[in-house]
């Protein structure tokens, strides 16, 4: 066997090993996802054998700690979505604006200084954000609401949502900056050469090209907001409250899951098993959001390709 054939055979063996490793990693990832799903599903089914599934998804009262306990999850999911919407309303404009500035307007020196600062924000523990929300933001909201004649609770969805949005800003800004910078310079130069201003180029060329990546970054921020617990506990409270008033206290799915699992009830009690039912619904909601976002990204890519032909 010639040296060339020996080396070629050795390369083929290495490629096969790498391929097997990658296939194994993919299978482990898929099996882990199904393992998580089934571990939640079986316990959730046991809960729904004890309590009505229909009341769980439509009921408006959550009171697991009393004799005639009720498990209506609508107030919990309402609080989850109110706080998440507030967080995304804060994070997306500021995060995307920061990304556009760093990638299109800032000098290299300024960008090299700003991006590490944003990434430091992403590494701050959520309990620190919770202290910031409870000690600083919440009193400010109470005073601001009182100044205009409104009553606000010290545990409010607004305080939790604002701070949660601040926590998400680095994720959206950093990822959006990367995808905006990945847009080819040739597109910018062609647009400027046709007489468009820099602002028009960003609006009509750069952002549409980067939109799939921006949507993905926003989706990651949304997932982080849906899964956040500590900020909600410290700033929004534990009371299931069916309200859309952001100045009131309310809670989220993840907080109720933690509260159910750390209680002193038996594991097979409805109060404890309700955590798995909440987790299952949250899993389905998150999966639906992922499917919708991927569909939108695919349609946007097809539309953009058509428009650029």
């Amino acid at each position: 066997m010639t040296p060339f054939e020996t080396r070629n055979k050795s390369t083929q063996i290495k490629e096969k090993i790498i391929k097997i490793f990658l296939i194994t990693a993919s299978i482990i990832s898929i099996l882990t996802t199904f393992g998580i799903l089934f571990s939640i599903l079986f316990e959730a089914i046991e809960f729904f054998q004890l309590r009505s599934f229909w009341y769980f998804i439509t009921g408006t009262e959550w009171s697991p700690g009393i004799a005639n306990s009720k498990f209506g999850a609508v107030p919990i999911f309402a609080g989850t979505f109110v706080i998440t919407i507030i967080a995304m309303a804060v994070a997306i404009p500021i995060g995307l604006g920061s990304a556009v500035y760093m990638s299109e307007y800032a000098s290299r020196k300024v960008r090299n200084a700003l991006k590490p600062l944003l990434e430091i924000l992403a590494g701050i523990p959520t309990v620190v954000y919770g202290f910031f929300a409870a000690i600083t933001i919440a009193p400010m909201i109470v005073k601001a609401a009182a100044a205009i004649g409104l009553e606000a609770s010290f545990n409010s969805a607004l305080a939790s949502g604002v701070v949660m949005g601040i926590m998400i800003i680095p994720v959206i800004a950093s990822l959006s900056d990367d995808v905006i910078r990945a847009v080819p310079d040739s597109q910018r130069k062609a647009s400027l050469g046709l007489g468009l201003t820099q602002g028009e180029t960003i609006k009509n060329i750069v952002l549409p090209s980067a939109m799939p990546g921006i949507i993905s970054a926003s989706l990651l921020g949304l997932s982080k907001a849906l899964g956040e617990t500590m900020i909600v506990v410290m700033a929004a409270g534990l009371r299931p409250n069916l309200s859309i008033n952001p100045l009131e206290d309310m809670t989220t799915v993840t907080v109720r899951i933690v509260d159910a699992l750390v209680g002193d009830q038996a594991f097979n009690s409805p109060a404890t098993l309700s955590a798995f039912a909440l987790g299952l619904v949250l899993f389905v909601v998150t999966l639906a959001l992922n499917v919708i976002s991927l569909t939108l990204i695919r349609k946007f890519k097809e539309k953009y390709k058509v428009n650029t032909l």
Side-chain angles (χ1 to χ4, degrees), residues 129-144:
Y129 282 109
F131 278 123
F132 177 63
I135 296 175
T136 304
I137 300 299
M140 289 174 57
I141 291 174
V142 171
K143 291 179 182 178

mmCIF file of all heavy atoms in Angstrom, residues 129-144:
data_model
loop_
_atom_site.group_PDB
_atom_site.id
_atom_site.type_symbol
_atom_site.label_atom_id
_atom_site.label_comp_id
_atom_site.label_asym_id
_atom_site.label_seq_id
_atom_site.Cartn_x
_atom_site.Cartn_y
_atom_site.Cartn_z
ATOM 1 N N TYR A 129 -30.595 41.076 39.570
ATOM 2 C CA TYR A 129 -31.657 41.809 38.880
ATOM 3 C C TYR A 129 -32.907 41.868 39.756
ATOM 4 O O TYR A 129 -33.632 42.878 39.760
ATOM 5 C CB TYR A 129 -31.994 41.135 37.551
ATOM 6 C CG TYR A 129 -31.015 41.425 36.444
ATOM 7 C CD1 TYR A 129 -30.154 40.437 35.972
ATOM 8 C CD2 TYR A 129 -30.958 42.682 35.841
ATOM 9 C CE1 TYR A 129 -29.260 40.691 34.946
ATOM 10 C CE2 TYR A 129 -30.062 42.946 34.820
ATOM 11 C CZ TYR A 129 -29.223 41.943 34.364
ATOM 12 O OH TYR A 129 -28.342 42.205 33.354
ATOM 13 N N GLY A 130 -33.184 40.778 40.482
ATOM 14 C CA GLY A 130 -34.346 40.771 41.367
ATOM 15 C C GLY A 130 -34.234 41.807 42.471
ATOM 16 O O GLY A 130 -35.201 42.517 42.770
ATOM 17 N N PHE A 131 -33.048 41.916 43.089
ATOM 18 C CA PHE A 131 -32.825 42.949 44.097
ATOM 19 C C PHE A 131 -33.004 44.338 43.493
ATOM 20 O O PHE A 131 -33.623 45.220 44.100
ATOM 21 C CB PHE A 131 -31.407 42.824 44.686
ATOM 22 C CG PHE A 131 -31.296 41.792 45.770
ATOM 23 C CD1 PHE A 131 -30.391 40.747 45.660
ATOM 24 C CD2 PHE A 131 -32.078 41.868 46.911
ATOM 25 C CE1 PHE A 131 -30.274 39.791 46.652
ATOM 26 C CE2 PHE A 131 -31.970 40.920 47.922
ATOM 27 C CZ PHE A 131 -31.065 39.876 47.783
ATOM 28 N N PHE A 132 -32.472 44.531 42.306
ATOM 29 C CA PHE A 132 -32.586 45.824 41.624
ATOM 30 C C PHE A 132 -34.051 46.171 41.374
ATOM 31 O O PHE A 132 -34.480 47.318 41.562
ATOM 32 C CB PHE A 132 -31.812 45.769 40.301
ATOM 33 C CG PHE A 132 -31.914 47.019 39.475
ATOM 34 C CD1 PHE A 132 -31.415 48.225 39.938
ATOM 35 C CD2 PHE A 132 -32.509 46.986 38.214
ATOM 36 C CE1 PHE A 132 -31.504 49.382 39.170
ATOM 37 C CE2 PHE A 132 -32.608 48.125 37.445
ATOM 38 C CZ PHE A 132 -32.105 49.329 37.918
ATOM 39 N N ALA A 133 -34.843 45.174 40.955
ATOM 40 C CA ALA A 133 -36.260 45.410 40.701
ATOM 41 C C ALA A 133 -37.005 45.746 41.985
ATOM 42 O O ALA A 133 -37.825 46.676 42.021
ATOM 43 C CB ALA A 133 -36.875 44.179 40.033
ATOM 44 N N ALA A 134 -36.731 44.977 43.050
ATOM 45 C CA ALA A 134 -37.480 45.145 44.294
ATOM 46 C C ALA A 134 -37.094 46.410 45.050
ATOM 47 O O ALA A 134 -37.954 47.076 45.649
ATOM 48 C CB ALA A 134 -37.277 43.922 45.191
ATOM 49 N N ILE A 135 -35.801 46.763 45.024
ATOM 50 C CA ILE A 135 -35.314 47.869 45.853
ATOM 51 C C ILE A 135 -35.327 49.202 45.115
ATOM 52 O O ILE A 135 -35.554 50.255 45.707
ATOM 53 C CB ILE A 135 -33.887 47.552 46.362
ATOM 54 C CG1 ILE A 135 -33.931 46.330 47.275
ATOM 55 C CG2 ILE A 135 -33.290 48.738 47.100
ATOM 56 C CD1 ILE A 135 -32.562 45.853 47.730
ATOM 57 N N THR A 136 -35.103 49.184 43.800
ATOM 58 C CA THR A 136 -34.961 50.428 43.051
ATOM 59 C C THR A 136 -36.139 50.705 42.126
ATOM 60 O O THR A 136 -36.770 51.761 42.199
ATOM 61 C CB THR A 136 -33.654 50.401 42.224
ATOM 62 O OG1 THR A 136 -32.554 50.149 43.083
ATOM 63 C CG2 THR A 136 -33.456 51.729 41.505
ATOM 64 N N ILE A 137 -36.446 49.763 41.239
ATOM 65 C CA ILE A 137 -37.459 50.011 40.214
ATOM 66 C C ILE A 137 -38.865 50.064 40.802
ATOM 67 O O ILE A 137 -39.660 50.956 40.476
ATOM 68 C CB ILE A 137 -37.382 48.944 39.107
ATOM 69 C CG1 ILE A 137 -36.004 48.970 38.449
ATOM 70 C CG2 ILE A 137 -38.467 49.178 38.058
ATOM 71 C CD1 ILE A 137 -35.659 50.284 37.772
ATOM 72 N N ALA A 138 -39.199 49.118 41.683
ATOM 73 C CA ALA A 138 -40.552 49.075 42.249
ATOM 74 C C ALA A 138 -40.922 50.358 42.999
ATOM 75 O O ALA A 138 -42.005 50.922 42.763
ATOM 76 C CB ALA A 138 -40.699 47.852 43.155
ATOM 77 N N PRO A 139 -40.068 50.863 43.915
ATOM 78 C CA PRO A 139 -40.415 52.139 44.569
ATOM 79 C C PRO A 139 -40.546 53.300 43.586
ATOM 80 O O PRO A 139 -41.408 54.172 43.776
ATOM 81 C CB PRO A 139 -39.240 52.358 45.538
ATOM 82 C CG PRO A 139 -38.696 50.998 45.791
ATOM 83 C CD PRO A 139 -38.864 50.260 44.508
ATOM 84 N N MET A 140 -39.722 53.304 42.540
ATOM 85 C CA MET A 140 -39.834 54.369 41.538
ATOM 86 C C MET A 140 -41.185 54.314 40.838
ATOM 87 O O MET A 140 -41.812 55.351 40.584
ATOM 88 C CB MET A 140 -38.698 54.235 40.512
ATOM 89 C CG MET A 140 -37.329 54.596 41.044
ATOM 90 S SD MET A 140 -36.014 54.253 39.838
ATOM 91 C CE MET A 140 -36.563 55.235 38.444
ATOM 92 N N ILE A 141 -41.651 53.119 40.526
ATOM 93 C CA ILE A 141 -42.944 52.970 39.856
ATOM 94 C C ILE A 141 -44.071 53.403 40.776
ATOM 95 O O ILE A 141 -45.032 54.066 40.348
ATOM 96 C CB ILE A 141 -43.128 51.515 39.376
ATOM 97 C CG1 ILE A 141 -42.166 51.219 38.227
ATOM 98 C CG2 ILE A 141 -44.569 51.258 38.954
ATOM 99 C CD1 ILE A 141 -42.168 49.775 37.780
ATOM 100 N N VAL A 142 -43.992 53.031 42.054
ATOM 101 C CA VAL A 142 -45.024 53.424 43.019
ATOM 102 C C VAL A 142 -45.099 54.944 43.125
ATOM 103 O O VAL A 142 -46.200 55.537 43.109
ATOM 104 C CB VAL A 142 -44.733 52.793 44.395
ATOM 105 C CG1 VAL A 142 -45.682 53.368 45.447
ATOM 106 C CG2 VAL A 142 -44.887 51.282 44.327
ATOM 107 N N LYS A 143 -43.952 55.607 43.207
ATOM 108 C CA LYS A 143 -43.935 57.078 43.310
ATOM 109 C C LYS A 143 -44.442 57.722 42.026
ATOM 110 O O LYS A 143 -45.197 58.705 42.067
ATOM 111 C CB LYS A 143 -42.516 57.553 43.618
ATOM 112 C CG LYS A 143 -42.026 57.195 45.017
ATOM 113 C CD LYS A 143 -40.596 57.667 45.245
ATOM 114 C CE LYS A 143 -40.092 57.269 46.626
ATOM 115 N NZ LYS A 143 -38.665 57.680 46.841
ATOM 116 N N ALA A 144 -44.025 57.202 40.874
ATOM 117 C CA ALA A 144 -44.472 57.764 39.597
ATOM 118 C C ALA A 144 -45.979 57.591 39.424
ATOM 119 O O ALA A 144 -46.671 58.498 38.946
ATOM 120 C CB ALA A 144 -43.726 57.096 38.447
#
